[in-house]
Amino acid sequence: MDRCSSLCIVECEGLPLVNGQSCDPYASVSLVGPSRNDQKKTKVKKKTSNPQFNEKFYFEVTRSSSYTKKSQFQVEEEDIEKLEVRVDLWNNGNLAQDVFLGEIRIPVRVLRNDSSHQAWYWLLPKDNGSKSSKYDDLGSLRLSICYTEDYVLPSDCYCPLKTLMMKSPDIKPITASAAFILGEICRDKNDAILPLVRLLLHHQKLVLFVTTIAQLDLNDTQEANTIFRGNSLATRCMDETMKIVGNHYLKVTLKNVIDEICESPKPCEIDPNRLREGDSIDNHKDNLRYYVDKVFSCIVKSSMSCPTVMCDLFSSLRHMAVRHFPNDRHVQYSAVSSFVFLRFFAVAVVSPHIFHLRSHHPDAQTSRVLTLISKTIQTLGSVGSLSKSKTSSFKEPFMCEFYKMFEEETYTADVKKFLEEISSTESKEPSGMSESVILKEGEMYKRAQGRTRIGKKGFNKRWFSLSSREFAYHKQKDKEPVFRIPIKNILAVEKLDESAFNKNNMFQVIYGEKPLYIHASNCVEASEWIEVLSRVSRRNPRRLGKYHPSAFINGTWLCCKASSESTEGCSPCTAGVPADVALDIDGDRECEKIYSLFSTNMPKLQKMEEACASMAVYQGPQEHSEYHFTIEDSVETFKSLQQIKAIVEKLNEPHEKHKKGSSNAKYGSQENPIVGKGS
C-alpha cells in the first residue's frame, strides 16, 4: 500500500501579540513518527495576528510493498498508527530567537477515515498544553488535509501503461502522446508533472520528451531574449527535473557559502531608503560584492558536479535554440542560463530552506542579503543581452549602481565558459553555433609520439590548448596545431606514476591505442589540466572504467607487468566522471499515480474523444473551449485516447476488488479535539 498526504496551511486567526506588537508568524509542518521527522516551513508573514498562508505541502507516508529499495519510507503497517501531522506556529525573531506560539497534532489514523479533512483547530501549548493557558489565548488555525492511500499493484499490471508512456517521445505530433495528454487534462499541472518526470527519468526517456515538447515553446517564441521564459509543460518539467536530480549538485556547490552567509551575515543593505543612521553604504557594497563574488565563483567552477541528465537537457536545448535563431550569437547561452541561473541557482540562493541547504527559513536580515545576492547572480548569468546594458534589468536605481561594479569581461567569459561546459556535447555542433571557447591553455612537455630507432623517446616543449571542441598542442603559441584530439575521443584523463619516466607532475590523456603523456611544471598545473579535461569529456559514452597508472615500456606495462599493450587497465579510473546521485524512484508507484490521474479525469478524456470525432468531420486543428486543450492530429490523438481508456479500464478491475476487500473499521476519536468553527 502506498500512502501520501497533502496539507494546506490556510490561515490563522487571533495569534497572540509578541512584546505588545503583532507577530511575524510562520508555520513549521512535520510528519512525525518512528525513525522519521520530515519538516517543511511556510513563508514568514509580516506584522499580523491573522496571517493568510495558503501554502500546500506534500508528504509521502509509506512506499508500496512492491518497492524493495531500503529508504526512509519503509514504515511498517502498525507504525502508521504512531504517525502524526504536527503544525507549529512560530514568531520569526529576526535577529533574536524565534518565539513559539502554539501547535496542533493530528494522528494519521484519524485522517484515514476522513480523506478530505478541513477544519479549524485551537492552537495548543507545547506537549498538548499546560492547564494555565486557555485554548483561545493562543489563536486558531485552519487546515485542509487530503490523505490518500493508493493500492499499488504488482509490477506486471503496469506494463501496458509503462509501455504507452515510454512511447510518448516518439509519437508525432507530441501533442497526441499519452504523456502530453496527461498534462493537458490535469487542472493542476503539477499533479501530472511530478509522476511523469519521475517515471520518464526512471526509464531514461525524459531528455527526449522534454526536448520534443520544448520545440512547441520555440515555435511560439518570436524573440530570442524571451526564450524559455514561460510557464509551459516543458519549462515545468525542466524545473521539476532540476529539483529531483540537482539537489546534491546544489549542496556540493552552494551549501558552504550559504552557511557562511546565514550564520554570520555581514550588513549588505544598499538601498538608501533602508539604511540606518551611521550605516556606511560603501562598506555594505563591499560586503555584498564579497558575497556575490564568492557565490558566483562557486557556481562557475561547479560544472564538474552538474548531473549528466541536466547536461544532456542543456545540450539539447542549446542546439535547438541555435537552429531556431541562427542569427543570434547569444541565444546558445541564454537558452541554458534561463534555466540554470534564473530557475535553479538564483532560486536556491534566495530560498535555501526549500532546497534543503538550510534547515530553517532565514531571518529577515539574512533573507534581504540573499535576495540582493540572487538578483545580482541572475543578471550576471544572463548572457543573452550582452549587446545591451544589463543594468536595465534592474528596477531599482541602487541595484543599477551596484551592478556597475561587475561590468567586466571576466565575468562574461566565466559565465560563457561555464555554460559551455554544462552543455557540451560529443556530437558535431550545428551550423550557427559560435566559435568554440578556449577553456585552458599553457606550456607543458609531451613525450614524443613517433617511434625512434634507438634510445628513449624524448620530451618536447609544446603549447597546449583546450577548447570546447578539441585538445591540441602547437609547436609555438599562436601557431596552427600540429596535433588534435576531438573531445568526443577522450576516453580517460589520469595521473601517471612518477616511476614511469622518473618525473613527477605527469598525467596521461587516453584517446586511442596509445596514451598521450604530458609533463606539467608543477602539481597545481597538472591537477588543473586533469580536472578541466575530465570535466569536458565526462559525457563521452566510451569512457574507460579502468586504466594503466604507469607506462608501457620495453614490451611490458610497468604497473601490472602485462606483456600486451592492448591489455585492459589494471586500476579503476579515479578522475573525471561525476557520480550521478542515485534517484529514489519507485516506477510502480509513479504508474499508480498516473493511472489515478487518468481515472479521475476520465470525463475530460471523453470530451477529447468527442472533439477528435468533431475534427474528423470539420477538419483542421481546433481548441475545445470548455477545457482549453488543442488537438493537432485528431487521428493520432484518438488512437492514444483509446489506448489510455483501455488500460485504465483493465486496471480498474483489481482496484475494485481491493476496495471491496478493504476494512471500513472506524478508529478512535482525536486526542486534540477539533473546535467546530466552520471549514
Side-chain angles (χ1 to χ4, degrees), residues 173-188:
I174 191 66
T175 53
S177 68
F180 191 88
I181 290 172
L182 178 66
E184 285 285 280
I185 63 174
C186 291
R187 185 173 182 179
D188 185 348

Side-chain angles (χ1 to χ4, degrees), residues 39-80:
Q39 188 178 77
K40 306 173 189 291
K41 292 179 175 64
T42 67
K43 296 178 181 177
V44 176
K45 300 298 177 180
K46 295 293 185 180
K47 304 300 179 187
T48 177
S49 295
N50 303 301
Q52 299 285 325
F53 291 108
N54 289 310
E55 293 189 46
K56 184 178 285 189
F57 303 94
Y58 294 90
F59 294 96
E60 296 176 7
V61 180
T62 65
R63 281 286 173 88
S64 63
S65 57
S66 64
Y67 186 64
T68 56
K69 185 176 178 179
K70 292 286 184 183
S71 77
Q72 62 170 321
F73 299 104
Q74 284 199 304
V75 180
E76 299 297 333
E77 181 69 25
E78 58 269 22
D79 286 340
I80 296 175

Side-chain angles (χ1 to χ4, degrees), residues 578-598:
D580 281 331
V581 179
L583 299 176
D584 187 16
I585 295 177
D586 178 357
D588 294 340
R589 178 178 180 274
E590 307 308 330
C591 281
E592 173 60 27
K593 284 186 174 182
I594 291 171
Y595 152 75
S596 180
L597 290 170
F598 277 136

Side-chain angles (χ1 to χ4, degrees), residues 29 45 52 56 64 101 144 170 191 197 210 265 310 322 350 437 444 490 553 585 609 623:
V29 188
K45 300 298 177 180
Q52 299 285 325
K56 184 178 285 189
S64 63
L101 299 177
S144 176
D170 302 315
D191 291 343
V197 166
V210 173
M310 288 174 61
V322 170
V350 80
V437 175
M444 294 185 291
I490 296 178
I553 297 177
I585 295 177
E609 274 194 336
E623 184 174 312

